[in-house]
Amino acid sequence: MRPLGAFLLVLLALGLGFGWTARRRWGPLSGVRPWLLALGLAPAHAVALGIAGALMGVDGGPLVAFAGATLALVLAAAAAVAWLLRDRPRWSSLVLPAHAVAQGMVTALLAGPFAAVGADPPTAGSPAVLAIALFLAAAWWVWLPGRRGRAARAPRTRSGRLRS
């Protein structure tokens, strides 16, 4: 467990360094394209698993359920990102590792159908998706803009009460 923890700390440090460098060079991260790329990792992994499972002869029912669960997770993550980007943009970066962990749990449910056809359970891709999500979350924590400013208030005036 210690080497894994050290590896995750290194990923977080590298992500923070990359985010800091990118923010200084290109300014705060904005737009939809980076989110489409980041949230597209898990569906790409799911498509690869679905194709591999179909080629190995895994029953279609679990693969269709896996595809549906993956689609539901992506939609939930996109909704969470959209909600968080309105008021707390930096906190939206934490959606990426949460989505990767949830996708890993859904992927683990395919172990039974894969074992039924004599194949190894699909465990290789989920840690890679989580590692990429941790790196991006650390980078985007720094790279995303901070909290939006509140509406300007009227300038402060004296209350009329003077100190004695």
Side-chain angles (χ1 to χ4, degrees):
M1 228 28 206
R2 279 189 167 170
L4 181 63
F7 177 66
L8 294 179
L9 288 176
V10 166
L11 276 176
L12 289 174
L14 285 173
L16 288 171
F18 176 75
W20 181 74
T21 304
R23 185 176 176 105
R24 286 186 54 130
R25 184 172 185 146
W26 298 302
L29 184 66
S30 63
V32 177
R33 190 175 297 153
W35 288 105
L36 291 176
L37 182 66
L39 291 176
L41 280 173
H45 176 249
V47 166
L49 272 179
I51 291 171
L55 291 176
M56 289 180 201
V58 175
D59 188 30
L63 293 177
V64 170
F66 176 67
T70 298
L71 183 62
L73 284 175
V74 168
L75 292 176
V81 165
W83 180 68
L84 286 169
L85 280 177
R86 282 186 283 157
D87 192 36
R88 296 179 189 99
R90 284 203 175 130
W91 288 98
S92 65
S93 66
L94 299 179
V95 171
L96 296 174
H99 178 248
V101 167
Q103 183 67 31
M105 288 190 287
V106 169
T107 304
L109 296 175
L110 283 179
F114 270 69
V117 295
D120 290 333
T123 57
S126 296
V129 170
L130 181 61
I132 293 169
L134 281 175
F135 175 81
L136 287 177
W140 288 4
W141 182 262
V142 177
W143 198 356
L144 284 167
R147 182 177 272 198
R148 291 200 172 99
R150 300 286 181 211
R153 290 188 271 172
R156 287 188 168 203
T157 59
R158 294 192 55 113
S159 65
R161 185 172 180 219
L162 298 174
R163 288 186 191 182
S164 52

